Amino acid sequence: MLSVKNVAELAGVSVGTVSRVINNHPSVKPETREKVLAAIEKLHYVPNEVARNFKMQKSMMVALLLPDIAHPFFSELTNYIEDELDTQNYKMILCNSKGKPQKEQYYYDVLSQNMVAGIIVITFNNVEHAIMKKIPVVAIDRHIAHEISCVTSDNYAGGRMAFNELIKAGVKRPAFLGYITNVYLNSAISEVHTRKDGFCDAAHAQGIQYACFEIPDDDQTLEASLEKIIISEALKLIDGIFINGDLFAARFIKQARAHQIRIPEDLKIIGYDGSRNLSWCPPYMSTIRQPIETIARTAVQLLVRSIEGETIKPDTYRLPVEYVQGDTT
Amino acid sequence: MLSVKNVAELAGVSVGTVSRVINNHPSVKPETREKVLAAIEKLHYVPNEVARNFKMQKSMMVALLLPDIAHPFFSELTNYIEDELDTQNYKMILCNSKGKPQKEQYYYDVLSQNMVAGIIVITFNNVEHAIMKKIPVVAIDRHIAHEISCVTSDNYAGGRMAFNELIKAGVKRPAFLGYITNVYLNSAISEVHTRKDGFCDAAHAQGIQYACFEIPDDDQTLEASLEKIIISEALKLIDGIFINGDLFAARFIKQARAHQIRIPEDLKIIGYDGSRNLSWCPPYMSTIRQPIETIARTAVQLLVRSIEGETIKPDTYRLPVEYVQGDTT
């Protein structure tokens, strides 16, 4: 039976392009459209309605699996991922795992029933065993397997940058504050943890002593964990903290102020992320800004090329970060 | 031909429940599962693999059409919508329209190709003509058509509440600041605009003069529009503003402070929304908090009941709001 593949071969284009022509998508160049229409005519190809719908649903849908759509970093990232997918004529299914391994597992099971053409995944759990290698996958911030590309910001450079900016701002006794996540013990698989490595390496290089605070990544116990740090003797020795995330930093500042700790006079703070909608809110965090839009578009472009048949050598794409001066340093 | 409908009838359950049993979804009660399995056995029903996949994709997918996933109100709402859909065994396709009518139109065209079982829509454009009545639709914050239910917060009460709280906080010359959107001219179709009505009616009832500022809902020109208001003679007469959204209020405050306007000493501010992730950020806005989770779950439950065959009388569900005292009043 004649298929869209025969049309694609004759026209010298990808199956995806033929599908876009059939579905009248505006993104196809006129000359490409003509080539495809000529091939369809020559072969007397009639797209079967049901098969076409079925195929289209399957092949033009991409799943985004992430831990928390309500978090400003993830929602801004999602905004750009959806926009780039839309540009490329794909629709997005959002799978919000809340970081729960069993919910992620459930999503993998559903997605593996051939529902989607590809998956973009951001997870903090160990999911190597669950990812099926049948369909293209691109990870953000995580190394899932050797065959899967990872797009991330240059977290290591970001950690170094945060350390150096704290010192430039006059900090003498710096500290790092981060989360312990499920993937913590195997830090090689989470790019996010290299922020700490960058911070510590910069400190060692300059021979400066520093402290490390690490608390569980648990929304329910966060306030209690922060309280312990804020009232600790250890914090009294500290005059600047790099906090691994702006929202995390905002929650820390809220609690620190309740204890009459002045920011930045008593304690200077640098966050991480630089997501746009938090940037409107005082105290206008000094932060390491990730290129959120570029991370999103790069991940989608890699995935789509892979879906459309290109062989892509798996790699890690570390995109540059920048320091944004705010009111907290 | 035997269909899933025959199984549903014999088992005395909905088609959706049979589908859930076939797909091994954990949400089905054991006794229901047994009834369905007994009916399947009695009828010698064998689900056709392709038909089943096709049907499942079609029937277990719900589209959420909204203007801006990066906005904290929408991302928190999406979080709960996805969670409730997941509980009910549906997957969510996210359509991010950026408020552009042509992008919404494109999504309607795609969705109307029978891709989804239902749509939850939040739009600020006039889309009555575009919504197809073939599949269930529930709107949030908007009256789209008489046949479509609308779930929203009690915006009118929220506007009254904001006015009364400003007065309680000592404000003598209050003002309202809102957006002019595409649906503005026909305020009956946007519930959001009734916040202003509530505010104005409360002012009239108390015989208090007030001012109204309204600017275009355009991210590109927002700073310039706010600047005009902040340096205006009119603002010098004002000592309290109800601003239609917390993020909007945060952006106003950022600019007002650059002009040495002190919040709350010179100007008291009450926002609207109360989304969780903005609540960590100083200055801890006084705000009218919407029941975001309840709005999300109510909309999904209405939609799913409708998808699963129940006849639901279209109605408007106005959910109660509450005042949250922050540092800006």
Side-chain angles (χ1 to χ4, degrees), chain A residues 70 79 82 89 92 94 96 98 106-107 219 254 276-277 282 284, chain B residues 25 70 79 82 89 92 96 98 106-107 219 254 276-277 282 284:
Chain A
N79 183 49
E82 198 273 355
N89 199 22
M92 190 182 85
L94 183 68
N96 203 27
K98 306 285 180 85
Y106 171 68
Y107 271 123
D219 195 61
K254 185 169 187 174
R276 185 162 180 273
N277 280 331
Y284 317 123
Chain B
H25 193 267
N79 182 50
E82 198 273 355
N89 199 22
M92 190 182 86
N96 202 27
K98 306 285 179 90
Y106 170 68
Y107 271 123
D219 194 61
K254 184 169 188 176
R276 185 163 181 272
N277 279 331
Y284 316 125

PDB file of all heavy atoms in Angstrom, chain A residues 70 79 82 89 92 94 96 98 106-107 219 254 276-277 282 284, chain B residues 25 70 79 82 89 92 96 98 106-107 219 254 276-277 282 284:
ATOM      1  N   ALA A  70       4.020  24.852  38.444  1.00  0.00           N
ATOM      2  CA  ALA A  70       3.758  26.103  39.161  1.00  0.00           C
ATOM      3  C   ALA A  70       5.046  26.852  39.516  1.00  0.00           C
ATOM      4  O   ALA A  70       5.006  28.023  39.855  1.00  0.00           O
ATOM      5  CB  ALA A  70       2.950  25.828  40.429  1.00  0.00           C
ATOM      6  N   ASN A  79       6.667  27.665  28.702  1.00  0.00           N
ATOM      7  CA  ASN A  79       6.178  28.671  27.777  1.00  0.00           C
ATOM      8  C   ASN A  79       6.982  28.643  26.474  1.00  0.00           C
ATOM      9  O   ASN A  79       6.432  28.607  25.371  1.00  0.00           O
ATOM     10  CB  ASN A  79       6.314  30.045  28.460  1.00  0.00           C
ATOM     11  CG  ASN A  79       5.782  31.174  27.630  1.00  0.00           C
ATOM     12  OD1 ASN A  79       4.677  31.102  27.115  1.00  0.00           O
ATOM     13  ND2 ASN A  79       6.568  32.223  27.473  1.00  0.00           N
ATOM     14  N   GLU A  82       6.693  25.172  24.545  1.00  0.00           N
ATOM     15  CA  GLU A  82       5.435  25.098  23.791  1.00  0.00           C
ATOM     16  C   GLU A  82       5.521  25.961  22.549  1.00  0.00           C
ATOM     17  O   GLU A  82       5.072  25.577  21.471  1.00  0.00           O
ATOM     18  CB  GLU A  82       4.278  25.533  24.698  1.00  0.00           C
ATOM     19  CG  GLU A  82       2.908  25.106  24.220  1.00  0.00           C
ATOM     20  CD  GLU A  82       2.282  26.088  23.252  1.00  0.00           C
ATOM     21  OE1 GLU A  82       2.842  27.169  23.005  1.00  0.00           O
ATOM     22  OE2 GLU A  82       1.225  25.756  22.704  1.00  0.00           O
ATOM     23  N   ASN A  89       5.156  22.807  14.457  1.00  0.00           N
ATOM     24  CA  ASN A  89       3.927  22.066  14.174  1.00  0.00           C
ATOM     25  C   ASN A  89       3.684  20.871  15.085  1.00  0.00           C
ATOM     26  O   ASN A  89       2.990  19.931  14.710  1.00  0.00           O
ATOM     27  CB  ASN A  89       3.897  21.628  12.705  1.00  0.00           C
ATOM     28  CG  ASN A  89       2.497  21.287  12.240  1.00  0.00           C
ATOM     29  OD1 ASN A  89       1.523  21.746  12.837  1.00  0.00           O
ATOM     30  ND2 ASN A  89       2.389  20.479  11.211  1.00  0.00           N
ATOM     31  N   MET A  92       1.972  19.865  22.489  1.00  0.00           N
ATOM     32  CA  MET A  92       2.635  19.444  23.712  1.00  0.00           C
ATOM     33  C   MET A  92       1.657  18.839  24.719  1.00  0.00           C
ATOM     34  O   MET A  92       0.623  19.431  25.012  1.00  0.00           O
ATOM     35  CB  MET A  92       3.301  20.657  24.349  1.00  0.00           C
ATOM     36  CG  MET A  92       4.221  20.305  25.492  1.00  0.00           C
ATOM     37  SD  MET A  92       4.902  21.808  26.224  1.00  0.00           S
ATOM     38  CE  MET A  92       3.574  22.185  27.350  1.00  0.00           C
ATOM     39  N   LEU A  94       1.452  17.970  28.595  1.00  0.00           N
ATOM     40  CA  LEU A  94       2.185  18.306  29.806  1.00  0.00           C
ATOM     41  C   LEU A  94       1.972  17.230  30.859  1.00  0.00           C
ATOM     42  O   LEU A  94       0.839  16.886  31.180  1.00  0.00           O
ATOM     43  CB  LEU A  94       1.702  19.652  30.350  1.00  0.00           C
ATOM     44  CG  LEU A  94       2.459  20.142  31.577  1.00  0.00           C
ATOM     45  CD1 LEU A  94       3.888  20.495  31.211  1.00  0.00           C
ATOM     46  CD2 LEU A  94       1.766  21.335  32.184  1.00  0.00           C
ATOM     47  N   ASN A  96       2.945  16.535  34.647  1.00  0.00           N
ATOM     48  CA  ASN A  96       3.449  17.224  35.826  1.00  0.00           C
ATOM     49  C   ASN A  96       3.666  16.170  36.905  1.00  0.00           C
ATOM     50  O   ASN A  96       2.714  15.671  37.482  1.00  0.00           O
ATOM     51  CB  ASN A  96       2.363  18.219  36.263  1.00  0.00           C
ATOM     52  CG  ASN A  96       2.888  19.349  37.087  1.00  0.00           C
ATOM     53  OD1 ASN A  96       4.053  19.733  36.987  1.00  0.00           O
ATOM     54  ND2 ASN A  96       2.018  19.898  37.906  1.00  0.00           N
ATOM     55  N   LYS A  98       5.129  16.222  39.864  1.00  0.00           N
ATOM     56  CA  LYS A  98       5.286  16.591  41.272  1.00  0.00           C
ATOM     57  C   LYS A  98       6.494  15.909  41.913  1.00  0.00           C
ATOM     58  O   LYS A  98       6.550  15.745  43.131  1.00  0.00           O
ATOM     59  CB  LYS A  98       4.025  16.213  42.090  1.00  0.00           C
ATOM     60  CG  LYS A  98       2.747  16.760  41.525  1.00  0.00           C
ATOM     61  CD  LYS A  98       2.607  18.245  41.792  1.00  0.00           C
ATOM     62  CE  LYS A  98       1.325  18.820  41.241  1.00  0.00           C
ATOM     63  NZ  LYS A  98       0.181  18.675  42.134  1.00  0.00           N
ATOM     64  N   TYR A 106       4.202   6.089  36.038  1.00  0.00           N
ATOM     65  CA  TYR A 106       2.903   5.987  35.391  1.00  0.00           C
ATOM     66  C   TYR A 106       2.913   6.699  34.046  1.00  0.00           C
ATOM     67  O   TYR A 106       2.439   6.191  33.031  1.00  0.00           O
ATOM     68  CB  TYR A 106       1.825   6.579  36.317  1.00  0.00           C
ATOM     69  CG  TYR A 106       0.483   6.715  35.659  1.00  0.00           C
ATOM     70  CD1 TYR A 106      -0.239   5.582  35.310  1.00  0.00           C
ATOM     71  CD2 TYR A 106      -0.043   7.968  35.360  1.00  0.00           C
ATOM     72  CE1 TYR A 106      -1.464   5.700  34.681  1.00  0.00           C
ATOM     73  CE2 TYR A 106      -1.258   8.090  34.739  1.00  0.00           C
ATOM     74  CZ  TYR A 106      -1.973   6.955  34.392  1.00  0.00           C
ATOM     75  OH  TYR A 106      -3.177   7.080  33.763  1.00  0.00           O
ATOM     76  N   TYR A 107       3.489   7.904  34.017  1.00  0.00           N
ATOM     77  CA  TYR A 107       3.569   8.644  32.756  1.00  0.00           C
ATOM     78  C   TYR A 107       4.399   7.901  31.719  1.00  0.00           C
ATOM     79  O   TYR A 107       4.047   7.836  30.555  1.00  0.00           O
ATOM     80  CB  TYR A 107       4.133  10.047  32.984  1.00  0.00           C
ATOM     81  CG  TYR A 107       3.057  11.052  33.292  1.00  0.00           C
ATOM     82  CD1 TYR A 107       3.082  11.804  34.459  1.00  0.00           C
ATOM     83  CD2 TYR A 107       1.997  11.251  32.406  1.00  0.00           C
ATOM     84  CE1 TYR A 107       2.090  12.720  34.751  1.00  0.00           C
ATOM     85  CE2 TYR A 107       1.001  12.168  32.691  1.00  0.00           C
ATOM     86  CZ  TYR A 107       1.053  12.901  33.857  1.00  0.00           C
ATOM     87  OH  TYR A 107       0.068  13.798  34.132  1.00  0.00           O
ATOM     88  N   ASP A 219       8.745  20.435  50.036  1.00  0.00           N
ATOM     89  CA  ASP A 219       7.996  21.663  50.242  1.00  0.00           C
ATOM     90  C   ASP A 219       7.362  21.722  51.641  1.00  0.00           C
ATOM     91  O   ASP A 219       7.277  22.780  52.250  1.00  0.00           O
ATOM     92  CB  ASP A 219       6.898  21.739  49.170  1.00  0.00           C
ATOM     93  CG  ASP A 219       6.321  23.127  49.071  1.00  0.00           C
ATOM     94  OD1 ASP A 219       7.086  24.054  48.749  1.00  0.00           O
ATOM     95  OD2 ASP A 219       5.120  23.282  49.342  1.00  0.00           O
ATOM     96  N   LYS A 254      12.463  35.711  53.226  1.00  0.00           N
ATOM     97  CA  LYS A 254      11.251  35.994  53.983  1.00  0.00           C
ATOM     98  C   LYS A 254      11.427  35.555  55.443  1.00  0.00           C
ATOM     99  O   LYS A 254      11.100  36.303  56.374  1.00  0.00           O
ATOM    100  CB  LYS A 254      10.053  35.283  53.351  1.00  0.00           C
ATOM    101  CG  LYS A 254       8.735  35.628  54.024  1.00  0.00           C
ATOM    102  CD  LYS A 254       7.521  35.133  53.234  1.00  0.00           C
ATOM    103  CE  LYS A 254       6.237  35.672  53.879  1.00  0.00           C
ATOM    104  NZ  LYS A 254       5.040  35.342  53.098  1.00  0.00           N
ATOM    105  N   ARG A 276      11.766  35.451  34.628  1.00  0.00           N
ATOM    106  CA  ARG A 276      11.291  36.799  34.358  1.00  0.00           C
ATOM    107  C   ARG A 276      10.239  37.264  35.360  1.00  0.00           C
ATOM    108  O   ARG A 276      10.304  38.383  35.855  1.00  0.00           O
ATOM    109  CB  ARG A 276      10.715  36.801  32.937  1.00  0.00           C
ATOM    110  CG  ARG A 276      10.290  38.147  32.436  1.00  0.00           C
ATOM    111  CD  ARG A 276      10.145  38.142  30.929  1.00  0.00           C
ATOM    112  NE  ARG A 276       9.735  39.466  30.487  1.00  0.00           N
ATOM    113  CZ  ARG A 276       8.486  39.885  30.420  1.00  0.00           C
ATOM    114  NH1 ARG A 276       7.495  39.065  30.754  1.00  0.00           N
ATOM    115  NH2 ARG A 276       8.202  41.106  30.025  1.00  0.00           N
ATOM    116  N   ASN A 277       9.267  36.424  35.656  1.00  0.00           N
ATOM    117  CA  ASN A 277       8.154  36.904  36.464  1.00  0.00           C
ATOM    118  C   ASN A 277       8.509  37.086  37.936  1.00  0.00           C
ATOM    119  O   ASN A 277       7.817  37.818  38.638  1.00  0.00           O
ATOM    120  CB  ASN A 277       6.930  36.004  36.295  1.00  0.00           C
ATOM    121  CG  ASN A 277       6.199  36.352  35.012  1.00  0.00           C
ATOM    122  OD1 ASN A 277       6.242  37.500  34.565  1.00  0.00           O
ATOM    123  ND2 ASN A 277       5.553  35.378  34.399  1.00  0.00           N
ATOM    124  N   PRO A 282      10.205  42.714  44.450  1.00  0.00           N
ATOM    125  CA  PRO A 282      11.269  43.083  45.349  1.00  0.00           C
ATOM    126  C   PRO A 282      11.636  41.866  46.195  1.00  0.00           C
ATOM    127  O   PRO A 282      10.777  41.032  46.442  1.00  0.00           O
ATOM    128  CB  PRO A 282      10.662  44.193  46.207  1.00  0.00           C
ATOM    129  CG  PRO A 282       9.302  44.445  45.668  1.00  0.00           C
ATOM    130  CD  PRO A 282       8.965  43.391  44.692  1.00  0.00           C
ATOM    131  N   TYR A 284      14.299  42.254  44.324  1.00  0.00           N
ATOM    132  CA  TYR A 284      15.102  42.273  43.105  1.00  0.00           C
ATOM    133  C   TYR A 284      16.425  41.558  43.352  1.00  0.00           C
ATOM    134  O   TYR A 284      17.472  42.153  43.571  1.00  0.00           O
ATOM    135  CB  TYR A 284      15.280  43.702  42.586  1.00  0.00           C
ATOM    136  CG  TYR A 284      13.976  44.476  42.653  1.00  0.00           C
ATOM    137  CD1 TYR A 284      13.871  45.669  43.345  1.00  0.00           C
ATOM    138  CD2 TYR A 284      12.826  43.951  42.063  1.00  0.00           C
ATOM    139  CE1 TYR A 284      12.661  46.346  43.427  1.00  0.00           C
ATOM    140  CE2 TYR A 284      11.611  44.610  42.144  1.00  0.00           C
ATOM    141  CZ  TYR A 284      11.535  45.808  42.843  1.00  0.00           C
ATOM    142  OH  TYR A 284      10.340  46.453  42.943  1.00  0.00           O
TER     143      TYR A 284
ATOM    144  N   HIS B  25      -6.056   1.266  34.843  1.00  0.00           N
ATOM    145  CA  HIS B  25      -5.799   2.472  35.623  1.00  0.00           C
ATOM    146  C   HIS B  25      -6.076   2.211  37.099  1.00  0.00           C
ATOM    147  O   HIS B  25      -7.077   1.593  37.439  1.00  0.00           O
ATOM    148  CB  HIS B  25      -6.655   3.641  35.118  1.00  0.00           C
ATOM    149  CG  HIS B  25      -6.208   4.947  35.676  1.00  0.00           C
ATOM    150  ND1 HIS B  25      -6.733   5.480  36.812  1.00  0.00           N
ATOM    151  CD2 HIS B  25      -5.235   5.794  35.274  1.00  0.00           C
ATOM    152  CE1 HIS B  25      -6.118   6.620  37.078  1.00  0.00           C
ATOM    153  NE2 HIS B  25      -5.204   6.840  36.160  1.00  0.00           N
ATOM    154  N   ALA B  70       3.499  31.164  31.613  1.00  0.00           N
ATOM    155  CA  ALA B  70       4.565  31.696  32.477  1.00  0.00           C
ATOM    156  C   ALA B  70       4.007  32.588  33.591  1.00  0.00           C
ATOM    157  O   ALA B  70       4.696  32.892  34.547  1.00  0.00           O
ATOM    158  CB  ALA B  70       5.596  32.462  31.646  1.00  0.00           C
ATOM    159  N   ASN B  79      -1.228  23.650  37.169  1.00  0.00           N
ATOM    160  CA  ASN B  79      -0.753  22.615  38.071  1.00  0.00           C
ATOM    161  C   ASN B  79      -1.927  21.804  38.634  1.00  0.00           C
ATOM    162  O   ASN B  79      -1.937  20.569  38.590  1.00  0.00           O
ATOM    163  CB  ASN B  79       0.020  23.292  39.210  1.00  0.00           C
ATOM    164  CG  ASN B  79       0.610  22.312  40.193  1.00  0.00           C
ATOM    165  OD1 ASN B  79       1.267  21.357  39.800  1.00  0.00           O
ATOM    166  ND2 ASN B  79       0.357  22.539  41.467  1.00  0.00           N
ATOM    167  N   GLU B  82      -4.007  19.926  35.792  1.00  0.00           N
ATOM    168  CA  GLU B  82      -3.328  18.698  35.386  1.00  0.00           C
ATOM    169  C   GLU B  82      -3.503  17.624  36.448  1.00  0.00           C
ATOM    170  O   GLU B  82      -3.752  16.458  36.145  1.00  0.00           O
ATOM    171  CB  GLU B  82      -1.854  18.995  35.121  1.00  0.00           C
ATOM    172  CG  GLU B  82      -1.132  17.942  34.298  1.00  0.00           C
ATOM    173  CD  GLU B  82      -0.557  16.817  35.137  1.00  0.00           C
ATOM    174  OE1 GLU B  82      -0.612  16.866  36.401  1.00  0.00           O
ATOM    175  OE2 GLU B  82      -0.073  15.866  34.535  1.00  0.00           O
ATOM    176  N   ASN B  89      -7.834  10.203  35.168  1.00  0.00           N
ATOM    177  CA  ASN B  89      -7.283   9.396  34.068  1.00  0.00           C
ATOM    178  C   ASN B  89      -7.271  10.109  32.717  1.00  0.00           C
ATOM    179  O   ASN B  89      -7.278   9.462  31.673  1.00  0.00           O
ATOM    180  CB  ASN B  89      -8.026   8.064  33.969  1.00  0.00           C
ATOM    181  CG  ASN B  89      -7.237   7.036  33.193  1.00  0.00           C
ATOM    182  OD1 ASN B  89      -6.013   7.154  33.076  1.00  0.00           O
ATOM    183  ND2 ASN B  89      -7.918   6.045  32.653  1.00  0.00           N
ATOM    184  N   MET B  92      -3.420  15.968  29.607  1.00  0.00           N
ATOM    185  CA  MET B  92      -3.655  17.357  29.238  1.00  0.00           C
ATOM    186  C   MET B  92      -2.739  17.811  28.097  1.00  0.00           C
ATOM    187  O   MET B  92      -1.533  17.612  28.157  1.00  0.00           O
ATOM    188  CB  MET B  92      -3.388  18.233  30.454  1.00  0.00           C
ATOM    189  CG  MET B  92      -3.818  19.653  30.271  1.00  0.00           C
ATOM    190  SD  MET B  92      -3.414  20.615  31.746  1.00  0.00           S
ATOM    191  CE  MET B  92      -1.738  21.028  31.325  1.00  0.00           C
ATOM    192  N   ASN B  96      -0.881  27.241  24.522  1.00  0.00           N
ATOM    193  CA  ASN B  96      -0.502  28.523  25.102  1.00  0.00           C
ATOM    194  C   ASN B  96      -0.715  29.576  24.024  1.00  0.00           C
ATOM    195  O   ASN B  96       0.051  29.676  23.085  1.00  0.00           O
ATOM    196  CB  ASN B  96       0.978  28.421  25.474  1.00  0.00           C
ATOM    197  CG  ASN B  96       1.403  29.411  26.513  1.00  0.00           C
ATOM    198  OD1 ASN B  96       0.594  29.850  27.328  1.00  0.00           O
ATOM    199  ND2 ASN B  96       2.669  29.751  26.506  1.00  0.00           N
ATOM    200  N   LYS B  98      -0.720  32.887  24.019  1.00  0.00           N
ATOM    201  CA  LYS B  98      -0.091  34.212  24.129  1.00  0.00           C
ATOM    202  C   LYS B  98      -1.112  35.316  23.886  1.00  0.00           C
ATOM    203  O   LYS B  98      -0.759  36.419  23.477  1.00  0.00           O
ATOM    204  CB  LYS B  98       1.079  34.378  23.140  1.00  0.00           C
ATOM    205  CG  LYS B  98       2.134  33.311  23.225  1.00  0.00           C
ATOM    206  CD  LYS B  98       3.015  33.510  24.448  1.00  0.00           C
ATOM    207  CE  LYS B  98       4.047  32.423  24.550  1.00  0.00           C
ATOM    208  NZ  LYS B  98       5.297  32.726  23.866  1.00  0.00           N
ATOM    209  N   TYR B 106      -5.992  28.961  15.397  1.00  0.00           N
ATOM    210  CA  TYR B 106      -5.246  27.810  14.903  1.00  0.00           C
ATOM    211  C   TYR B 106      -5.467  26.603  15.822  1.00  0.00           C
ATOM    212  O   TYR B 106      -5.738  25.492  15.366  1.00  0.00           O
ATOM    213  CB  TYR B 106      -3.763  28.162  14.807  1.00  0.00           C
ATOM    214  CG  TYR B 106      -2.881  26.979  14.530  1.00  0.00           C
ATOM    215  CD1 TYR B 106      -2.937  26.326  13.294  1.00  0.00           C
ATOM    216  CD2 TYR B 106      -2.015  26.491  15.499  1.00  0.00           C
ATOM    217  CE1 TYR B 106      -2.149  25.225  13.046  1.00  0.00           C
ATOM    218  CE2 TYR B 106      -1.222  25.387  15.264  1.00  0.00           C
ATOM    219  CZ  TYR B 106      -1.288  24.754  14.037  1.00  0.00           C
ATOM    220  OH  TYR B 106      -0.514  23.655  13.796  1.00  0.00           O
ATOM    221  N   TYR B 107      -5.408  26.852  17.132  1.00  0.00           N
ATOM    222  CA  TYR B 107      -5.629  25.763  18.080  1.00  0.00           C
ATOM    223  C   TYR B 107      -7.044  25.204  17.964  1.00  0.00           C
ATOM    224  O   TYR B 107      -7.257  24.000  18.010  1.00  0.00           O
ATOM    225  CB  TYR B 107      -5.357  26.208  19.514  1.00  0.00           C
ATOM    226  CG  TYR B 107      -3.915  26.015  19.918  1.00  0.00           C
ATOM    227  CD1 TYR B 107      -3.155  27.074  20.366  1.00  0.00           C
ATOM    228  CD2 TYR B 107      -3.328  24.759  19.847  1.00  0.00           C
ATOM    229  CE1 TYR B 107      -1.826  26.889  20.742  1.00  0.00           C
ATOM    230  CE2 TYR B 107      -2.010  24.566  20.217  1.00  0.00           C
ATOM    231  CZ  TYR B 107      -1.269  25.634  20.665  1.00  0.00           C
ATOM    232  OH  TYR B 107       0.021  25.441  21.039  1.00  0.00           O
ATOM    233  N   ASP B 219       2.307  43.589  27.135  1.00  0.00           N
ATOM    234  CA  ASP B 219       3.545  43.449  27.891  1.00  0.00           C
ATOM    235  C   ASP B 219       4.632  44.414  27.397  1.00  0.00           C
ATOM    236  O   ASP B 219       5.422  44.921  28.184  1.00  0.00           O
ATOM    237  CB  ASP B 219       4.019  42.001  27.745  1.00  0.00           C
ATOM    238  CG  ASP B 219       5.091  41.656  28.754  1.00  0.00           C
ATOM    239  OD1 ASP B 219       4.791  41.736  29.952  1.00  0.00           O
ATOM    240  OD2 ASP B 219       6.217  41.352  28.349  1.00  0.00           O
ATOM    241  N   LYS B 254       7.445  48.248  41.613  1.00  0.00           N
ATOM    242  CA  LYS B 254       8.854  48.382  41.224  1.00  0.00           C
ATOM    243  C   LYS B 254       9.096  49.760  40.609  1.00  0.00           C
ATOM    244  O   LYS B 254      10.053  50.452  40.942  1.00  0.00           O
ATOM    245  CB  LYS B 254       9.237  47.277  40.245  1.00  0.00           C
ATOM    246  CG  LYS B 254      10.714  47.293  39.869  1.00  0.00           C
ATOM    247  CD  LYS B 254      11.144  46.048  39.105  1.00  0.00           C
ATOM    248  CE  LYS B 254      12.671  46.057  38.955  1.00  0.00           C
ATOM    249  NZ  LYS B 254      13.176  44.836  38.306  1.00  0.00           N
ATOM    250  N   ARG B 276       0.525  31.285  44.943  1.00  0.00           N
ATOM    251  CA  ARG B 276       1.395  30.848  46.016  1.00  0.00           C
ATOM    252  C   ARG B 276       2.844  31.279  45.814  1.00  0.00           C
ATOM    253  O   ARG B 276       3.484  31.759  46.742  1.00  0.00           O
ATOM    254  CB  ARG B 276       1.293  29.315  46.085  1.00  0.00           C
ATOM    255  CG  ARG B 276       2.035  28.694  47.216  1.00  0.00           C
ATOM    256  CD  ARG B 276       1.570  27.269  47.455  1.00  0.00           C
ATOM    257  NE  ARG B 276       2.293  26.712  48.573  1.00  0.00           N
ATOM    258  CZ  ARG B 276       3.455  26.093  48.469  1.00  0.00           C
ATOM    259  NH1 ARG B 276       4.009  25.926  47.285  1.00  0.00           N
ATOM    260  NH2 ARG B 276       4.067  25.633  49.542  1.00  0.00           N
ATOM    261  N   ASN B 277       3.367  31.087  44.605  1.00  0.00           N
ATOM    262  CA  ASN B 277       4.793  31.324  44.426  1.00  0.00           C
ATOM    263  C   ASN B 277       5.171  32.795  44.430  1.00  0.00           C
ATOM    264  O   ASN B 277       6.322  33.134  44.648  1.00  0.00           O
ATOM    265  CB  ASN B 277       5.302  30.621  43.164  1.00  0.00           C
ATOM    266  CG  ASN B 277       5.552  29.150  43.450  1.00  0.00           C
ATOM    267  OD1 ASN B 277       5.865  28.785  44.575  1.00  0.00           O
ATOM    268  ND2 ASN B 277       5.400  28.322  42.445  1.00  0.00           N
ATOM    269  N   PRO B 282       8.897  39.426  48.817  1.00  0.00           N
ATOM    270  CA  PRO B 282       8.536  40.692  49.387  1.00  0.00           C
ATOM    271  C   PRO B 282       8.057  41.629  48.286  1.00  0.00           C
ATOM    272  O   PRO B 282       8.477  41.443  47.156  1.00  0.00           O
ATOM    273  CB  PRO B 282       9.838  41.195  49.988  1.00  0.00           C
ATOM    274  CG  PRO B 282      10.889  40.186  49.704  1.00  0.00           C
ATOM    275  CD  PRO B 282      10.304  39.113  48.883  1.00  0.00           C
ATOM    276  N   TYR B 284       5.364  41.143  50.042  1.00  0.00           N
ATOM    277  CA  TYR B 284       4.245  40.404  50.612  1.00  0.00           C
ATOM    278  C   TYR B 284       2.956  41.213  50.468  1.00  0.00           C
ATOM    279  O   TYR B 284       2.482  41.885  51.378  1.00  0.00           O
ATOM    280  CB  TYR B 284       4.532  40.024  52.064  1.00  0.00           C
ATOM    281  CG  TYR B 284       5.948  39.512  52.225  1.00  0.00           C
ATOM    282  CD1 TYR B 284       6.833  40.072  53.135  1.00  0.00           C
ATOM    283  CD2 TYR B 284       6.418  38.485  51.397  1.00  0.00           C
ATOM    284  CE1 TYR B 284       8.142  39.614  53.236  1.00  0.00           C
ATOM    285  CE2 TYR B 284       7.733  38.038  51.498  1.00  0.00           C
ATOM    286  CZ  TYR B 284       8.577  38.616  52.420  1.00  0.00           C
ATOM    287  OH  TYR B 284       9.882  38.192  52.504  1.00  0.00           O
TER     288      TYR B 284
END
